[in-house]
Amino acid sequence: MGLRRTSWMHLSALCRRAPLSTAPAAREQPAAGPGAEPVCGPAETARPPVPAVDFGNTQEAYRSRRSWELARSLLVLSLCASPALLARHEQLLHLARKLLGQRLFNTLMKMTFYGQFVAGEDQESIRPLIQHNRAFGVGSILDYGVEEDLTPEEAERTEMESCSSALERDGCGVSKREKQFQAHRAFGDRRDGVTSARTYFYASEAKCDSHMETFLHCIEASGGASEDGFSAIKLTALGRPQFLLQFSDVLTKWRRFFHHVAAEQGKAGLAAVDTKLEVAALQESVVKMGIASRAEIEDWFTAETLGVSGTLDLLDWCSLIDSRTELSRHLVVPNMQTGRLEPLLSQFTEEEERQMTRMLQRMDVLAKKANQVGVRLMVDAEQTYFQPAISRLTLEMQRRFNVERPLIFNTFQCYLRDAYDNVILDVELARREGWCFGAKLVRGAYMAQERARALEVGYEDPINPTYEATSAVYHRCLDYVLEELKHNARAAVMVASHNEDTVRFTLRSASQLRPSILQRLSGHQWLVTEVCTGQPARGGMEELGLHPADRQVYFGQLLGMCDHISFPLGQAGFPVYKYVPYGPVMEVLPYLSRRALENSGVMKGAQRERQLLWQELKRRLCTRRLFHQPA
């Protein structure tokens, strides 16, 4: 089995046809940002103000729901709040199935948990719910919720095999990847500690093709359901996770090397987007390290490739990793422990290279289908050891497909310490290269797992220390993106959150937030300063003049959760979507287990939602409208 040294430049080239544009003309264009004149924005005409939304008006919030549906929601969410039941929910489900039989068990599930969180068994059966929600202003993001029912041992074995190269599995080579980007048996079952994300394990190329077909069906159905639909995909469903690990390791080492050189030039501690290397000093460092001779590097950093400033920032630096075939032979970085130079490139067998190519081709097929039917494609975030590669490959898709509008959306997990830097770097790159920025902001789904893995394996915890710190980062990222949207009508963001305060933050200016937000976010200087002083530099949609009719700001929640947020938004004219899972009862039980756990531990507004449901049921009972029919 012959080995090939495959450069990651080749990987990126497979993902897109056009090389990275770093020409001076592109870089000298005025960047849209705070203080700049609006670029290609909507015409300055008199428009109605941003609609007011009352999340406490239960009559309006639940007018799309019949009373028995409210009672079911109240029952299910109350059961989800019981620690005793949750601790034994799998045993209780197994017992109920054994006592009732499969048919009665399915009926019970459809009347309770399944009916609350899952739309139906197939795309045909979920059509009425999609049409009903659409009539009340709420769109749908279809999500086939079926997961393989693997035992922990099977999941662990599958993960270890699919995250290691042929050389590593055969014992012929030792992985040179950093610990964070190696497979670890104790964390082989990636489902552990994850409450709100579906997990895919690599089985075969045929299975990846099957996942792609499922995604294609969801894209087609979303295109038929609305003119402005969304669909979501996961890259771990489309190929071997080994490639994501290796590519993430490359990108992380390359970025760390940039900061190492920046520290040598006395520029440590600056924000990522503000750190600029002096090219002349960088060339001297490259020569001293023995990476290449002075003659060899003359063509690496030229005015044609990097402009005429004589400096190189992180975006320029990252562009080098995929646009210089001559440089690819020299892509080495110093190992901080040994002091030796090590290659960034990896060795693949011919079969592994074919598998990597197929993964990129599947991404391309999905993006083209989304473009064809007019559906926006959101690439979900995953674990931090996969995420650098996922974000980079998503970026390549954005360069190709986000030419006229934001078709591809990257996902930013705001519980990560580097989330804000990643957001501003992507916004800046979109400005420079002229494509449309599209993002989904989430808090994150892997916190417990990530913390435990970092502690056990021995690398820095990538997660913010507290929930409040994560909320502050989320609001900071959202604040920056909303400011960008004010000046760039072709950019868009989805606020994917069940947190009512975050939605309020999005809708109106920071100085108008209710005092309870300040109490929960006290100690986070950025947010406290802006709210207390009422600084008008940035704010929500109301202050920035972002109207829901512009369809730049979208909202997203899960089916069966936070209807008191979703439906008032939709009825007021805001673009809002529900993640709508579907699939046979028994095959979506893992999904239902996570929904139960999420309602207990993650969703802070669960108690308020139960109070509102009970309040609306009492109102209908007292006003003799218990048989309310939605209209």
Short mmCIF file of all heavy atoms in Angstrom, two decimals, residues 28 31 35 150 212 217 240 256 331 361 374 385 400 420 479 491 523 615:
data_model
loop_
_atom_site.label_atom_id
_atom_site.label_comp_id
_atom_site.label_asym_id
_atom_site.label_seq_id
_atom_site.Cartn_x
_atom_site.Cartn_y
_atom_site.Cartn_z
N GLU A 28 -7.09 46.82 -0.59
CA GLU A 28 -7.13 48.27 -0.42
C GLU A 28 -8.54 48.82 -0.47
O GLU A 28 -8.75 50.01 -0.32
CB GLU A 28 -6.27 48.93 -1.49
CG GLU A 28 -4.78 48.70 -1.27
CD GLU A 28 -3.95 49.09 -2.48
OE1 GLU A 28 -4.52 49.66 -3.41
OE2 GLU A 28 -2.74 48.81 -2.47
N ALA A 31 -12.89 48.92 4.10
CA ALA A 31 -13.59 47.87 4.85
C ALA A 31 -14.82 48.45 5.53
O ALA A 31 -14.76 49.50 6.16
CB ALA A 31 -12.66 47.25 5.89
N GLY A 35 -18.42 53.00 11.99
CA GLY A 35 -18.03 54.33 11.55
C GLY A 35 -17.99 54.49 10.06
O GLY A 35 -17.86 55.58 9.54
N LEU A 150 -25.59 2.29 19.10
CA LEU A 150 -24.34 1.60 19.41
C LEU A 150 -24.16 1.51 20.93
O LEU A 150 -24.52 2.43 21.66
CB LEU A 150 -23.14 2.35 18.82
CG LEU A 150 -23.09 2.52 17.30
CD1 LEU A 150 -21.87 3.35 16.92
CD2 LEU A 150 -23.06 1.18 16.59
N MET A 212 -25.32 11.58 3.30
CA MET A 212 -25.43 12.66 2.32
C MET A 212 -26.80 12.65 1.66
O MET A 212 -27.42 13.71 1.47
CB MET A 212 -24.34 12.51 1.26
CG MET A 212 -24.36 13.61 0.20
SD MET A 212 -23.20 13.32 -1.15
CE MET A 212 -24.00 11.93 -1.99
N HIS A 217 -32.27 15.04 0.98
CA HIS A 217 -33.73 15.01 1.11
C HIS A 217 -34.22 16.16 2.00
O HIS A 217 -35.24 16.79 1.71
CB HIS A 217 -34.18 13.67 1.70
CG HIS A 217 -33.97 12.50 0.79
ND1 HIS A 217 -34.19 12.57 -0.56
CD2 HIS A 217 -33.56 11.22 1.04
CE1 HIS A 217 -33.94 11.39 -1.12
NE2 HIS A 217 -33.54 10.56 -0.17
N ARG A 240 -14.38 10.23 7.23
CA ARG A 240 -13.59 9.78 8.36
C ARG A 240 -13.18 10.96 9.24
O ARG A 240 -12.63 11.94 8.74
CB ARG A 240 -12.32 9.07 7.88
CG ARG A 240 -12.52 7.72 7.26
CD ARG A 240 -11.18 7.12 6.85
NE ARG A 240 -10.37 6.81 8.01
CZ ARG A 240 -10.37 5.64 8.63
NH1 ARG A 240 -11.15 4.67 8.20
NH2 ARG A 240 -9.61 5.42 9.69
N ARG A 256 -0.50 28.85 15.93
CA ARG A 256 0.34 29.03 17.11
C ARG A 256 1.73 29.53 16.71
O ARG A 256 2.35 30.33 17.42
CB ARG A 256 0.45 27.72 17.88
CG ARG A 256 1.20 27.85 19.20
CD ARG A 256 1.24 26.53 19.94
NE ARG A 256 -0.11 26.09 20.27
CZ ARG A 256 -0.54 24.84 20.10
NH1 ARG A 256 0.25 23.94 19.59
NH2 ARG A 256 -1.77 24.52 20.43
N LEU A 331 6.56 23.57 4.87
CA LEU A 331 5.66 23.82 5.98
C LEU A 331 6.07 23.01 7.21
O LEU A 331 5.62 21.89 7.42
CB LEU A 331 4.22 23.48 5.58
CG LEU A 331 3.48 24.58 4.83
CD1 LEU A 331 2.07 24.12 4.50
CD2 LEU A 331 3.44 25.87 5.63
N GLN A 361 -16.08 15.97 -1.73
CA GLN A 361 -17.07 15.91 -2.81
C GLN A 361 -18.49 15.90 -2.26
O GLN A 361 -19.40 16.51 -2.85
CB GLN A 361 -16.82 14.68 -3.68
CG GLN A 361 -15.56 14.78 -4.53
CD GLN A 361 -15.21 13.47 -5.22
OE1 GLN A 361 -15.67 12.40 -4.82
NE2 GLN A 361 -14.38 13.53 -6.24
N GLY A 374 -32.32 27.07 -3.39
CA GLY A 374 -32.46 28.32 -2.63
C GLY A 374 -32.55 28.13 -1.13
O GLY A 374 -33.23 28.90 -0.44
N TYR A 385 -11.63 19.51 18.93
CA TYR A 385 -10.55 18.83 18.20
C TYR A 385 -10.91 18.59 16.74
O TYR A 385 -10.05 18.24 15.94
CB TYR A 385 -10.15 17.52 18.91
CG TYR A 385 -11.28 16.68 19.44
CD1 TYR A 385 -11.86 15.67 18.67
CD2 TYR A 385 -11.77 16.88 20.73
CE1 TYR A 385 -12.88 14.89 19.17
CE2 TYR A 385 -12.80 16.11 21.24
CZ TYR A 385 -13.36 15.11 20.45
OH TYR A 385 -14.38 14.35 20.96
N ARG A 400 -16.84 30.10 -2.21
CA ARG A 400 -17.38 29.68 -3.50
C ARG A 400 -18.84 30.04 -3.67
O ARG A 400 -19.28 30.42 -4.76
CB ARG A 400 -17.21 28.17 -3.66
CG ARG A 400 -15.78 27.72 -3.92
CD ARG A 400 -15.73 26.23 -4.18
NE ARG A 400 -16.60 25.85 -5.29
CZ ARG A 400 -16.99 24.61 -5.54
NH1 ARG A 400 -16.61 23.63 -4.75
NH2 ARG A 400 -17.76 24.35 -6.57
N TYR A 420 -14.76 34.99 20.18
CA TYR A 420 -14.83 36.38 19.68
C TYR A 420 -13.76 36.64 18.63
O TYR A 420 -14.03 37.25 17.58
CB TYR A 420 -14.68 37.35 20.86
CG TYR A 420 -14.82 38.80 20.45
CD1 TYR A 420 -16.04 39.32 20.03
CD2 TYR A 420 -13.73 39.67 20.51
CE1 TYR A 420 -16.17 40.65 19.67
CE2 TYR A 420 -13.85 41.01 20.15
CZ TYR A 420 -15.07 41.49 19.72
OH TYR A 420 -15.19 42.80 19.35
N ASP A 479 -23.18 41.40 19.31
CA ASP A 479 -23.07 42.86 19.20
C ASP A 479 -22.19 43.25 18.00
O ASP A 479 -22.54 44.12 17.21
CB ASP A 479 -22.49 43.40 20.51
CG ASP A 479 -22.42 44.90 20.56
OD1 ASP A 479 -23.46 45.52 20.77
OD2 ASP A 479 -21.31 45.44 20.39
N ALA A 491 -24.76 40.59 4.65
CA ALA A 491 -24.37 39.70 5.74
C ALA A 491 -25.62 39.27 6.50
O ALA A 491 -26.66 39.94 6.47
CB ALA A 491 -23.38 40.38 6.67
N GLY A 523 -19.82 41.41 36.76
CA GLY A 523 -18.44 40.94 36.79
C GLY A 523 -17.82 40.85 35.41
O GLY A 523 -16.61 40.66 35.29
N GLN A 615 -50.16 29.36 33.25
CA GLN A 615 -50.91 30.62 33.25
C GLN A 615 -51.92 30.65 32.10
O GLN A 615 -53.07 31.07 32.28
CB GLN A 615 -49.93 31.78 33.12
CG GLN A 615 -50.56 33.16 33.08
CD GLN A 615 -49.52 34.26 32.94
OE1 GLN A 615 -48.40 34.15 33.45
NE2 GLN A 615 -49.86 35.32 32.23
#
